[in-house]
Amino acid sequence: MSDILNVDHQEIAKFDKIASQWWDLTGDFKPLHQINPLRRQFITQHMQMVFDKKIIDVGCGGGILAESLAKLGAKVTGIDMGDEPLNVAKLHALESGIHVDYQKITAEEKALACPEMFDAVTCMEMLEHVPDPESIVKACAQMVKPGGFVFFSTLNKTVKSYLLAILAAEKLFKLVPDGTHNHDKFIRPSTLISWAESFDLKCIDATGIHYNPLTENHTLAKGLDVNYILCCQKI
Ligand code: SAH
């Protein structure tokens, strides 16, 4: 079910239901905690410095990435359409004494209110949960300043991503709740890059995030066939 706001209420309900686990390092969000240092490394490597930079995290959830960037001195805004993830994020920020400005607003509405306001936009593991991901890409492109960076991460639409992200992660090993992902909503890098380029975002890096189930280690690597992360720069 979706509405003109480009929000899938069933998706929001899914995250609302498990939001209390957001900061449990061994719970349903364990994979996000595991990949977060790699996402932060990828972002800082491209931006050089995030200190004092204005960054907006779109679909911030409980704030794993938002807090980690704020810890480095960035001025972070986190937006999401789920009440529970935002409540958890606000509470956690209070506990850790880190300031993040959390808001319940869609990317499209925020882009109308704040065009070209941010040095960087991050949108991680979110595009595969919305009815119209291209509209989110457009909003991200509108929010970033010329020369600024937009980072996207999502899942590729391949047989391997079905086997690993759905069959293995959800059904066999129960690393994340069954039904977290819908393979039809996964996005090929070529599709995401062509959307980005149509909104004046030049893709300057595309890197895979690989998982080794034996060591439980994640690494940044070349192949984009399952999880991947893009760095785009606004022309
Ligand atoms: N980006 C975070 C959380 C990913 S989980 C991270 O990677 O650590 C996906 C998040 O997207 C959830 O918090 C969910 O509530 C949010 N979301 C889903 N649809 C959304 C929409 N249309 N607008 C804003 N947030 C949305």
Side-chain angles (χ1 to χ4, degrees), residues 8 12 30 34 41 73 81 102 110 124 136 141 154 179 189 196 203 216 229:
D8 181 333
I12 298 295
K30 182 177 171 185
Q34 288 178 324
Q41 175 195 326
M81 286 303 284
Y102 288 112
K110 189 71 184 168
M124 305 280 148
I136 302 288
T154 188
C203 176
E216 289 201 17
I229 184 163

Side-chain angles (χ1 to χ4, degrees), residues 92-120:
H92 197 272
L94 275 182
E95 275 173 26
S96 38
I98 291 170
H99 179 71
V100 176
D101 178 13
Y102 288 112
Q103 300 173 9
K104 184 178 178 184
I105 185 168
T106 63
E108 290 88 345
E109 288 170 317
K110 189 71 184 168
L112 275 180
C114 303
E116 298 189 354
M117 284 257 298
F118 296 91
D119 298 296

Side-chain angles (χ1 to χ4, degrees), residues 6-179:
N6 191 17
V7 176
D8 181 333
H9 297 290
Q10 283 177 357
E11 290 291 318
I12 298 295
K14 256 188 330 204
F15 288 103
D16 270 349
K17 199 171 148 204
I18 54 173
S20 62
Q21 290 192 50
W22 218 289
W23 287 89
D24 176 352
L25 302 184
T26 60
D28 288 342
F29 295 99
K30 182 177 171 185
L32 292 186
H33 287 282
Q34 288 178 324
I35 64 174
N36 198 56
L38 296 176
R39 307 190 297 194
R40 196 189 45 214
Q41 175 195 326
F42 185 80
I43 292 165
T44 51
Q45 170 199 324
H46 284 288
M47 290 184 70
Q48 315 270 330
M49 195 158 83
V50 297
F51 183 82
D52 230 23
K53 292 284 187 323
K54 281 185 78 173
I55 302 180
I56 183 161
D57 188 25
V58 174
C60 61
I64 298 173
L65 178 70
E67 267 201 25
S68 72
L69 294 173
K71 254 190 203 162
L72 298 176
K75 294 178 183 148
V76 184
T77 302
I79 63 170
D80 202 284
M81 286 303 284
D83 287 311
E84 292 310 319
L86 283 173
N87 286 339
V88 169
K90 285 175 194 164
L91 264 179
H92 197 272
L94 275 182
E95 275 173 26
S96 38
I98 291 170
H99 179 71
V100 176
D101 178 13
Y102 288 112
Q103 300 173 9
K104 184 178 178 184
I105 185 168
T106 63
E108 290 88 345
E109 288 170 317
K110 189 71 184 168
L112 275 180
C114 303
E116 298 189 354
M117 284 257 298
F118 296 91
D119 298 296
V121 180
T122 56
C123 180
M124 305 280 148
E125 335 305 330
M126 184 266 194
L127 292 172
E128 68 274 21
H129 299 289
V130 298
D132 180 358
E134 186 177 2
S135 164
I136 302 288
V137 173
K138 181 179 181 186
C140 292
Q142 288 169 336
M143 284 189 278
V144 74
K145 296 176 184 172
F149 294 91
V150 183
F151 299 90
F152 298 107
S153 66
T154 188
L155 284 144
N156 196 350
K157 199 187 277 185
T158 57
V159 173
K160 192 168 166 189
S161 72
Y162 175 77
L163 295 175
L164 291 184
I166 297 191
L167 200 63
E170 293 185 12
K171 321 274 182 218
L172 292 176
F173 300 112
K174 312 216 179 292
L175 296 176
V176 293
D178 194 4

